[in-house]
Amino acid sequence: MSMEATNESIKNTLVVRKPCFGLPTACPQCLSAYFFLKLSQLPFHLHFHLNYPDSDQIPYFEAGDCVVYNNEKDGIIECLKKDEQVGDLDLDAGVSSLPEWIPTKVMLTTWLADALEYELWVGCDGSSAYNIYYSDLPWPIGKVLFWKKYHWVKQKHAITKNNVEVKEEEIYERANSAYGALSTLLGDANYLFGSRPSSLDAIFLAHALVVLQALPETSTLQIKFSEHANLVRYVQQRKTELIEAGAFPSNDMPFHAGASSSASRGSKSKRKPKGEKTKEEKKEEKTYRKRAKYFVVAQVVAVVLFVSIMSGYGNGDVEVDDADADYGYD
């Protein structure tokens, strides 16, 4: 567990998904909450939640007895701005009344959010999404949860094998238009709305850093974003200010993970002479058996979940084609 604040008297805690790709967390919602608190200059601890990666409650913020979840109405950032127990976190005072505010917020929370969601789960090879959300889970469970989310995203955008090219073009055209508008709005300023940060800076920074650092180099979003030099400059400057260099890991679990890492470790054990087992050997054998049982249970659960999920999609109105998403898990 990594902490952003070292003072033990600080009771504020932001709970996010794990760090990866050199970021405190590569989950867009978690990262935007992180940047919002940093820009608000509120001291906080940073904790990583490795269980229930598909939970919509993450990120959540704890301040004493007060807890703010991401799935509350309007999302975690809006709730933090309104919660008096947390403190004065309204970065948007004086700028939310500007005529550019609402169009910018709409672009960030719809066009760009949808484009990044599409890239993570459908548009690219899926390795980025797998590393962000599921790489700490047993392989079969991670696989099932990934496919569940993959199909959900396709249904959300009404994508079928017959319209995938049209839908993809629409998503990328809107994203490109949003990047152009944001580039014009930013100009040479330090923040989107001049010399002071806002909650929209937090949302945009999270989007941009996931695009630039978590997506593969072949990503359409990354290519389109990189065409705007002032946006790239803005992101790099704010990243230097808000993220400590080298503080978070950039090496991630491989997407094509094997079914059992414990099995591969066991195959490397050296042969020992027969005789009475030591306490250490007994402990290792007990641990191995527990892992083996856990893996068998995980396989059974994964099969049951997969069958139930896929049978559920058979009743949907949107046609889903699996042939265009061969990510090569096996």
Side-chain angles (χ1 to χ4, degrees):
M1 257 183 280
S2 176
M3 293 187 179
E4 279 296 306
T6 57
N7 188 344
E8 294 183 358
S9 64
I10 296 172
K11 303 300 182 181
N12 302 321
T13 301
L14 177 65
V15 181
V16 299
R17 294 183 172 91
K18 67 169 189 174
C20 55
F21 299 108
L23 298 171
T25 172
C27 162
Q29 292 80 15
C30 296
L31 193 56
S32 62
Y34 172 89
F35 282 136
F36 176 74
L37 293 174
K38 295 287 282 187
L39 290 172
S40 299
Q41 299 182 0
L42 180 73
F44 63 95
H45 294 297
L46 186 63
H47 284 196
F48 304 115
H49 196 297
L50 302 181
N51 301 321
Y52 308 108
D54 57 339
S55 172
D56 60 357
Q57 291 185 334
I58 304 172
Y60 60 89
F61 183 78
E62 299 175 342
D65 297 330
C66 173
V67 182
V68 179
Y69 294 99
N70 184 59
N71 62 349
E72 295 182 27
K73 184 180 179 180
D74 299 326
I76 186 171
I77 290 180
E78 291 299 321
C79 290
L80 286 173
K81 287 161 57 176
K82 299 173 183 176
D83 199 319
E84 295 180 356
Q85 296 185 56
V86 176
D88 184 10
L89 299 183
D90 192 2
L91 287 175
D92 304 333
V95 294
S96 58
S97 59
L98 295 175
E100 300 89 353
W101 179 264
I102 292 180
T104 302
K105 185 174 182 178
V106 170
M107 284 191 298
L108 289 172
T109 56
T110 56
W111 290 3
L112 292 185
D114 288 346
L116 181 54
E117 181 180 64
Y118 176 81
E119 280 270 271
L120 281 172
W121 298 101
V122 181
C124 295
D125 62 5
S127 60
S128 298
Y130 185 83
N131 278 319
I132 293 169
Y133 296 94
Y134 307 130
S135 62
D136 290 311
L137 296 177
W139 171 77
I141 294 179
K143 176 178 179 178
V144 170
L145 291 177
F146 177 89
W147 277 95
K148 176 185 175 183
K149 182 70 174 184
Y150 165 80
H151 287 296
W152 182 87
V153 171
K154 292 190 74 173
Q155 284 195 322
K156 175 184 175 182
H157 296 285
I159 298 173
T160 69
K161 63 180 180 181
N162 296 322
N163 69 4
V164 60
E165 292 184 359
V166 174
K167 289 290 185 179
E168 183 176 272
E169 185 177 357
E170 290 177 356
I171 290 170
Y172 288 137
E173 280 184 357
R174 289 196 294 264
N176 194 41
S177 297
Y179 288 152
L182 289 169
S183 177
T184 301
L185 175 66
L186 177 65
D188 295 327
N190 291 326
Y191 298 98
L192 292 177
F193 294 94
S195 59
R196 52 171 294 183
S198 69
S199 62
L200 298 190
D201 286 283
I203 296 172
F204 181 53
L205 282 171
H207 169 91
L209 282 170
V210 173
V211 167
L212 293 176
Q213 293 190 208
L215 295 180
E217 294 182 355
T218 55
S219 158
T220 301
L221 276 187
Q222 187 177 120
I223 294 171
K224 290 183 179 296
F225 187 93
S226 299
E227 293 173 354
H228 302 277
N230 66 330
L231 295 183
V232 175
R233 170 194 57 79
Y234 159 81
V235 171
Q236 294 301 332
Q237 288 178 346
R238 301 293 81 78
K239 174 189 172 184
T240 302
E241 296 172 357
L242 301 173
I243 300 178
E244 181 182 351
F248 301 101
S250 58
N251 54 323
D252 304 288
M253 293 289 290
F255 183 52
H256 307 285
S260 175
S261 58
S262 60
S264 63
R265 289 195 296 270
S267 63
K268 296 179 181 179
S269 60
K270 296 180 180 179
R271 183 183 298 273
K272 294 185 178 180
K274 293 181 179 181
E276 186 177 356
K277 295 181 179 179
T278 64
K279 290 184 178 180
E280 184 178 350
E281 288 175 327
K282 289 180 180 179
K283 185 177 180 180
E284 289 180 355
E285 183 178 351
K286 186 177 180 181
T287 301
Y288 181 80
R289 286 178 178 176
K290 288 176 68 176
R291 288 177 177 174
K293 289 179 181 178
Y294 179 65
F295 178 70
V296 172
V297 172
Q299 290 278 18
V300 173
V301 172
V303 171
V304 173
L305 285 172
F306 188 79
V307 171
S308 62
I309 291 168
M310 296 310 296
S311 63
Y313 281 107
N315 300 324
D317 297 329
V318 179
E319 180 183 0
V320 177
D321 180 31
D322 292 340
D324 61 346
D326 184 12
Y327 291 120
Y329 276 97
D330 301 322

